[in-house]
């Protein structure tokens, strides 16, 4: 199974500042035949289902603000939120869909400082 | 608008059974994989099972193999999860998610709570 490890577990950032969340997979999620990283990021607010933010490691889902960006390849990935807004308070999960069993990171709780 | 509505959750004793349903609308259900993901109270997301658009491929997490069965009825745009021999550790909110051919789950329902307790 591919283990996804996020860091940090929690993060407090001031409004308007940058938030960075890291995700490391226990094996590469880069599929060589199409050069795509099978890595997604979800945002989950209290009492709500997860919302897809980023897929293919760096492709923003339709309607997601451009302050959210994803980067990385192979085993190391980053979700960056530039200019943090109050509505960005949530738990963020990375997720590999490279192979079954599909796995998620443990989550990173983002709060306002 | 894509909508996924889960139902069938509730309180059940250890060893009991439940059948969850997920009704899809706003998209052509038969063109998508579908997935169940669960979330124990206060915990993270855990993938449970996925089924191909025609039901020809099915995958389960190890801890539910032999106890849970995922199925679908494309004519009724519905997804199911039959859960038998339930354990306390199966207590969670169960979400159904529309999943594309690349296994990206892009739309999720609001979830249904399953509580396994004596």
């Amino acid at each position: 199974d591919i283990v996804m490890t996020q860091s940090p577990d929690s993060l407090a950032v001031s409004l308007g500042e940058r938030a960075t969340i890291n995700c490391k997979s226990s094996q590469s999620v880069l599929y060589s035949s199409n050069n795509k990283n099978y890595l997604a990021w979800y945002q989950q607010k209290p009492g709500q289902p997860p919302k897809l933010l980023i897929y293919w490691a760096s492709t923003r889902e339709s309607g997601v603000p451009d302050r959210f960006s994803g980067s990385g390849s192979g085993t190391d990935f980053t979700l960056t939120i530039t200019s943090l807004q109050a509505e960005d308070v949530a738990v963020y999960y990375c997720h590999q869909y490279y192979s079954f069993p599909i796995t998620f990171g443990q989550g990173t709780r983002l709060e306002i400082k | 608008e894509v909508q996924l509505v889960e139902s069938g959750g509730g309180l059940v004793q250890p060893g009991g059974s439940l059948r969850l349903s997920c009704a899809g609308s706003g998209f052509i259900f038969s063109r998508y994989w579908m997935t169940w993901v669960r979330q124990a109270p206060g915990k993270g997301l855990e993938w449970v099972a996925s089924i191909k658009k025609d039901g020809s491929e099915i995958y389960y997490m190890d801890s539910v193999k032999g106890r849970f069965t995922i199925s679908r009825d494309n004519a009724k745009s519905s997804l199911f999860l039959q859960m038998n021999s339930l354990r306390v550790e199966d207590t969670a909110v169960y979400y159904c998610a529309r999943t594309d051919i690349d296994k990206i789950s892009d739309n999720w329902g609001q979830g249904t709570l399953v509580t396994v307790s004596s």
Side-chain angles (χ1 to χ4, degrees), chain A residues 4-24:
Chain A
M4 308 299 289
T5 304
Q6 293 180 226
S7 62
D9 289 334
S10 63
L11 181 62
V13 175
S14 300
L15 289 173
E17 296 300 305
R18 176 189 300 256
T20 301
I21 300 170
N22 300 300
C23 175
K24 189 174 184 66

Side-chain angles (χ1 to χ4, degrees), chain A residues 39 41 53-60 67-72 77-81:
Chain A
L39 188 285
W41 290 95
L53 294 177
I54 303 281
Y55 56 96
W56 299 133
S58 61
T59 301
R60 206 177 299 115
R67 64 180 181 273
F68 291 90
S69 64
S71 62
F77 301 91
T78 300
L79 174 69
T80 302
I81 310 170

